[in-house]
Amino acid sequence: MDFPSGYWAWCSASVTGHGLLCCRARCGFQRNLPPNRLHYRINRPTVTASTTQPFDYLEAILTAPVYDVAIETPLDEARSLSRRLGHTVLLKREDMQPVFSFKIRGAYNRLAQLSPEQLACGVIAASAGNHAQGVALAAQTLGCKATICMPATAPMIKVEGVRARGAEVILHGDNFDLTNQYAQQLALERGATFIPPFDDPHVIAGQGTVAMEVLRQRKHMDVIFVPIGGGGLAAGVAFYVKRLKPWIKVIGVEPTEAASMAESLTAGERVRLPHVGLFADGVAVRMVGEHCFALCQQHLDGVIRVSNDELCAAIKDVFEDTRSILEPSGAVAIAGAKAWAAAHPESQGMTLVAVASGANMNFDRLRYVAERSEVGEAREAVIAVTIPEQPGSFKSFLQQIGNRAITEFNYRYAGPGAAHIFVGVQVGNRDEARNLVSQLSAQGHTTVDLTDNELAKLHIRHLVGGRADVDNERLLRFEFPERPGALLNFLNSMSAGWNISLFHYRNHGADYGRVLVGIQVPSSDRAAFQSFLDALGYEYQEETDNPAYRLFLAS
């Protein structure tokens, strides 16, 4: 299928689990993706100028004074990852900036445009962390007072990083949207200049200096992968690359839980997501910027979505090659490069550049990353197996596992007839995991593959230990804001007649806590219970029919 220049196509590939958004006939993805479930929807892009005087992005990138505070970061080969993928993978090490993120480039370039009078009045920014640190350092360098509004759930490593650079920190709101609204209102009240995190031409131009360095550092490359949150970095990089070397593909990468650019490009207009996942908090943006969208719509070659498990695997990959630890949003582009390589097995020996965009990692989050990285790399299978409760059956099961390394094992007597086993097994790839499930099933063991089951991976693996005889139990998985009073608010909102029959919470170092709750709700209260869920305002997922719950916890 050929696409006229300037048209968009949406491709969904169930084999790899990746959605790929492509534009322009030159990208050629439509012939490379797995053949099943390829869907195309064509939208003519409508790019409108937001000002009567077009902004000269090329001149702004070439003359951006970012090196007053930023450094030219190296373009390092990830040798181990390159060998595994069959491509030369180069990492643009923006995690080595003074604030451990590329955000210093756009922040400083924006502040450098202010007059002495504007600098004297101070600046205000809203950010979950990386932009905040960039603005704080830029303001400190220019002798300007900076006030940074951050969500109350912002990681403390980023809050302390902002304070260490002399900025005033105001914690306000439970999410970026509320914080951003407050910051803009505060800027009006104080007469200060608001510094946008991404949707500003000078911010975009500052981020575009990343591409200027990449093209100078390497003469030949095939694809550049760029993380997308609000779209400032992707817009700047895509514009600069397409102006100078249009044959190089520029691919944006987003988490599946925060794919605002992919949704917007598919719709042909900016789309506001109802909610976003916060694991990769640096790119958790519900709506991309207006300027960013226009540039990405015109210059970006596509968008790949990646899962949280794939982000964890990418963090591990970078650590093994560099001994550096990226934050989840900093590893987005690397995860995208791996997903692209997996979707194009026939392409070998190409040069892939991935922007390692940040390293402001909360130490507490490393436990979760280590736990999920093997699954994200498809090197661990998580399965539930039912065996007869009789002598010798346990030994027979272990013989079927063979010499594979067992990463986790939970066994519990479940009654006189059968026992359920929750086991993690190290495998070479997803095909080996499927073959193991088939092998166990062929031996007469009822086997369920839980590798992609979020309930099993987040909660059940820590709760295996027996069933409870509980009537009218509803099981729900919530995302609680990590702030004082969140649980009390939940309990106060509940009806006094509903009993909590199960509760599991484990801190993963994220902005939101993952909580599993069992509640006894009589059938006569179903409507009232739904009203309670709707009014609560917390994201949730009903898990009452989840097979992992039915096997290990339900009566």
Side-chain angles (χ1 to χ4, degrees):
M1 177 182 287
D2 294 325
F3 295 101
S5 178
Y7 277 67
W8 289 90
W10 171 250
C11 315
S12 175
S14 62
V15 167
T16 63
H18 303 295
L20 215 58
L21 185 66
C22 313
C23 74
R24 280 183 290 280
R26 70 167 179 266
C27 73
F29 287 160
Q30 63 271 21
R31 68 175 182 273
N32 292 327
L33 282 171
N36 63 316
R37 282 207 331 112
L38 294 183
H39 302 297
Y40 301 92
R41 186 171 72 196
I42 309 302
N43 298 306
R44 184 185 298 276
T46 55
V47 181
T48 58
S50 58
T51 63
T52 56
Q53 185 75 23
F55 185 82
D56 191 337
Y57 281 100
L58 184 60
E59 179 182 348
I61 292 172
L62 292 172
T63 60
V66 298
Y67 301 107
D68 291 350
V69 289
I71 65 170
E72 178 169 324
T73 54
L75 189 63
D76 293 337
E77 181 178 356
R79 298 185 183 278
S80 177
L81 185 59
S82 295
R83 286 193 296 269
R84 282 172 43 214
L85 298 186
H87 301 284
T88 298
V89 180
L90 304 175
L91 304 179
K92 180 58 175 166
R93 297 294 305 279
E94 287 300 290
D95 58 302
M96 298 176 68
Q97 290 290 356
V99 295
F100 309 104
S101 162
F102 74 94
K103 286 286 192 176
I104 182 59
R105 297 174 182 266
Y108 186 83
N109 194 44
R110 180 66 184 86
L111 264 72
Q113 313 303 318
L114 300 181
S115 67
E117 293 77 18
Q118 289 174 311
L119 288 172
C121 292
V123 296
I124 291 179
S127 170
N130 288 340
H131 176 63
Q133 294 183 81
V135 172
L137 178 57
Q140 187 180 57
T141 303
L142 294 170
C144 171
K145 175 179 169 56
T147 301
I148 310 297
C149 300
M150 306 180 74
T153 56
M156 284 308 298
I157 188 173
K158 297 183 179 180
V159 174
E160 294 303 323
V162 173
R163 286 177 174 153
R165 291 172 175 85
E168 176 192 2
V169 175
I170 298 177
L171 299 178
H172 181 90
D174 296 327
N175 57 61
F176 175 75
D177 285 348
L178 292 176
T179 306
N180 191 46
Q181 292 171 14
Y182 175 78
Q184 293 191 44
Q185 181 61 37
L186 190 63
L188 290 174
E189 294 173 0
R190 293 186 178 183
T193 300
F194 179 75
I195 306 298
F198 46 81
D199 199 24
D200 179 275
H202 291 292
V203 173
I204 293 170
Q207 321 301 27
T209 59
V210 171
M212 182 176 68
E213 293 176 12
V214 168
L215 296 191
R216 185 167 61 237
Q217 291 168 320
R218 186 82 175 196
K219 298 301 181 184
H220 171 75
M221 66 200 73
D222 298 289
V223 191
I224 300 175
F225 296 89
V226 189
I228 298 179
L233 178 62
V237 169
F239 173 86
Y240 188 84
V241 170
K242 294 305 179 184
R243 281 294 300 271
L244 272 65
K245 295 187 176 182
W247 55 88
I248 298 176
K249 296 183 179 70
V250 181
I251 307 296
V253 190
E254 293 180 300
T256 54
E257 296 181 345
S260 53
M261 183 65 79
E263 294 294 333
S264 297
L265 292 174
T266 300
E269 61 182 4
R270 290 193 302 153
V271 172
R272 179 179 292 276
L273 301 180
H275 58 84
V276 293
L278 294 176
F279 176 63
D281 58 280
V283 291
V285 177
R286 294 174 64 187
M287 177 181 277
V288 298
E290 181 180 358
H291 299 286
C292 307
F293 174 70
L295 289 170
C296 287
Q297 190 179 43
Q298 188 175 0
H299 299 292
L300 204 61
D301 286 299
V303 175
I304 296 176
R305 308 186 197 205
V306 293
S307 69
N308 287 351
D309 287 349
E310 289 170 311
L311 293 181
C312 293
I315 292 171
K316 181 181 179 182
D317 291 326
V318 174
F319 174 77
E320 291 178 343
D321 264 312
T322 69
R323 297 303 184 266
S324 297
I325 300 175
L326 299 180
E327 63 184 291
S329 59
V332 166
I334 293 90
K338 292 173 62 183
W340 185 89
H344 297 75
E346 76 290 346
S347 299
Q348 292 289 300
M350 302 179 74
T351 299
L352 312 180
V353 174
V355 180
S357 58
N360 287 297
M361 167 69 91
N362 258 19
F363 187 80
D364 291 343
R365 194 175 290 187
L366 292 176
R367 175 177 58 187
Y368 177 82
V369 171
E371 197 171 82
R372 302 292 288 263
S373 60
E374 290 299 297
V375 174
E377 193 57 57
R379 291 187 290 206
E380 182 187 38
V382 180
I383 56 178
V385 183
T386 302
I387 64 173
E389 191 58 75
Q390 61 188 36
S393 60
F394 190 35
K395 180 180 178 181
S396 173
F397 165 75
L398 291 177
Q399 288 173 339
Q400 294 300 318
I401 295 295
N403 293 325
R404 298 180 180 91
I406 293 177
T407 58
E408 181 172 1
F409 200 99
N410 293 286
Y411 169 79
R412 176 67 170 168
Y413 177 86
H420 300 306
I421 297 172
F422 184 105
V423 61
V425 181
Q426 199 168 73
V427 293
N429 51 51
R430 189 55 59 88
D431 287 338
E432 184 180 342
R434 296 190 189 98
N435 291 338
L436 176 60
V437 170
S438 299
Q439 177 185 336
L440 291 170
S441 298
Q443 294 297 316
H445 301 307
T446 301
T447 308
V448 180
D449 188 350
L450 301 176
T451 306
D452 296 319
N453 190 308
E454 283 297 300
L455 175 67
K457 292 185 290 186
L458 283 172
H459 299 286
I460 297 296
R461 70 194 319 165
H462 306 293
L463 290 170
V464 174
R467 301 165 179 265
D469 188 10
V470 181
D471 294 329
N472 300 314
E473 186 175 55
R474 297 275 295 273
L475 190 74
L476 298 106
R477 179 160 51 90
F478 288 94
E479 288 189 354
F480 276 29
E482 287 284 15
R483 68 171 191 270
L487 175 58
L488 184 60
N489 177 56
F490 175 82
L491 298 175
N492 287 338
S493 302
M494 279 182 54
S495 167
W498 302 335
N499 180 53
I500 292 182
S501 51
L502 179 150
F503 193 93
H504 179 254
Y505 163 76
R506 190 159 177 256
N507 189 309
H508 294 115
D511 297 336
Y512 273 60
R514 272 65 172 180
V515 179
L516 185 68
V517 183
I519 305 176
Q520 291 179 272
V521 182
S523 57
S524 59
D525 284 359
R526 287 178 181 173
F529 186 68
Q530 187 60 52
S531 297
F532 154 70
L533 294 175
D534 294 340
L536 185 63
Y538 295 169
E539 297 297 330
Y540 73 92
Q541 179 73 40
E542 175 99 28
E543 299 284 11
T544 307
D545 296 324
N546 192 298
Y549 165 66
R550 290 295 175 187
L551 278 171
F552 293 102
L553 298 177
S555 59

